[in-house]
Amino acid sequence: VDEVRFTGGEPLVRRGLVDIVARTRAISADLELSITSNGLGLARTAQALAEAGLDRVNVSLDSVRRDTFHELTRRDRLDDVVAGLEAAAAAGLGPVKVNAVLMRGINDTQAPELLRWCIERGYELRFIEQMPLDAQHGWSRDGMITADEIFATLDREFDLSPAEEPRGSAPAEKFLVDGGPATVGVIASVTRPFCGDCDRVRLTADGQVRNCLFARSESDLRASL
C-alpha cells in the first residue's frame, strides 16, 4: 500500500480526523495521503490537516451556479465550498482536484463553465460518470451523461488532446486543454470500464475490506485483528 485516501460519507465530520491522518502519516513518510470531501468544513480544517501530513484533497463540486448547487445539495452553501477549496490551496494541499458528476436536465450544459472556473483557479477538474451506487436503486443509465457526451460538450469550447503520461492504474483519462498546461480528466466507470488496471481496495469504517465499490462480498479484517 503506497496511497491512503479517506472518503465517506463525509470524512471531515469524523471526530479525530486530524489525529487519524497524523497517525497514518507516522507509519511512513512515503505514503500519499488524501481525502475526498464535499468541502463544507475544509476552510476550518485544511491547515491542520496539512500540518498532520495530508498531501492533497479531492472536492466534489457539480456546479458553480448557486441555484444549481442548491438544487443538487439541498443547501445554500456554495460559498463555503469555494472557501474550502481556497483554504486547501493556501495550505499546500495540491494539486487541488475537483470531482463533478453531470446529470441530465440539471447541470449537463454546465461542463464548459465549470472547467473554465477550475482552470482560472488552478484546480484540476475531473468529470465522473454517474455510477449505480445508490442504495435505493433509483439509478438509470438513461439519466447518466456518458463520457462521449462530456467530450462533445467540451469540444464546442475547448481543444482537447490526450495527455502524454500513461494512465496506468489511475481511473481518470487525462486530456490537455487548449494544448496545456491545464488538464481535464474523465472517469468513465460505466461506458469505458478500467477494471483490469485497477489496483485499489476499500477498507470500510467497521473494518471490512472490499475489493471494489461494486463488490457484493467483504472480508472481515477487524475479526482477524
Side-chain angles (χ1 to χ4, degrees), residues 36-54:
T36 297
S37 169
N38 62 21
L40 290 178
L42 201 51
R44 299 189 303 272
T45 56
Q47 187 61 44
L49 287 167
E51 292 173 357
L54 193 72

Side-chain angles (χ1 to χ4, degrees), residues 42-47 81-93 96 123:
L42 201 51
R44 299 189 303 272
T45 56
Q47 187 61 44
V81 179
V82 172
L85 287 165
E86 293 172 348
L93 297 174
V96 174
Y123 307 146

Side-chain angles (χ1 to χ4, degrees), residues 131-143:
M131 293 180 283
L133 296 173
D134 57 315
Q136 296 76 27
H137 304 293
W139 180 88
S140 169
R141 184 160 178 154
D142 294 337

Side-chain angles (χ1 to χ4, degrees), residues 110-167:
Q110 299 178 29
E113 68 185 75
L114 188 55
L115 177 55
R116 190 171 291 107
W117 187 90
C118 287
I119 290 174
E120 289 172 353
R121 291 156 179 79
Y123 307 146
E124 292 188 10
L125 176 62
R126 300 186 303 178
F127 291 103
I128 305 174
E129 286 184 340
Q130 186 183 30
M131 293 180 283
L133 296 173
D134 57 315
Q136 296 76 27
H137 304 293
W139 180 88
S140 169
R141 184 160 178 154
D142 294 337
M144 180 192 72
I145 303 299
T146 67
D148 287 343
E149 291 177 281
I150 295 170
F151 290 130
T153 301
L154 294 176
D155 281 342
R156 298 188 189 113
E157 299 190 30
F158 302 98
D159 178 30
L160 302 183
S161 57
E164 292 185 359
E165 69 262 26
R167 173 179 177 175

Side-chain angles (χ1 to χ4, degrees), residues 159-180:
D159 178 30
L160 302 183
S161 57
E164 292 185 359
E165 69 262 26
R167 173 179 177 175
S169 61
E173 292 184 76
K174 292 181 66 174
F175 298 86
L176 298 174
V177 180
D178 295 335

Side-chain angles (χ1 to χ4, degrees), residues 19-100:
D19 180 58
I20 292 172
V21 170
R23 290 161 61 191
T24 307
R25 170 56 67 207
I27 296 171
S28 171
D30 296 326
L31 281 174
E32 179 179 320
L33 303 184
S34 62
I35 67 169
T36 297
S37 169
N38 62 21
L40 290 178
L42 201 51
R44 299 189 303 272
T45 56
Q47 187 61 44
L49 287 167
E51 292 173 357
L54 193 72
D55 292 306
R56 60 180 183 82
V57 297
N58 291 20
V59 174
S60 300
L61 179 61
D62 300 323
S63 176
V64 291
R65 297 184 188 178
R66 191 173 303 277
D67 56 342
T68 306
F69 181 90
H70 188 278
E71 179 182 359
L72 288 168
T73 66
R74 305 293 193 268
R75 60 187 83 186
D76 185 19
R77 297 189 61 183
L78 176 61
D79 291 342
D80 292 328
V81 179
V82 172
L85 287 165
E86 293 172 348
L93 297 174
V96 174
K97 296 184 178 181
V98 173
N99 297 336

Side-chain angles (χ1 to χ4, degrees), residues 202-210 218-223:
R202 272 91 183 165
L203 176 63
T204 69
D206 58 353
Q208 306 298 310
V209 175
R210 297 173 63 91
E218 300 174 332
S219 301
D220 190 349
L221 180 61
R222 184 176 183 179

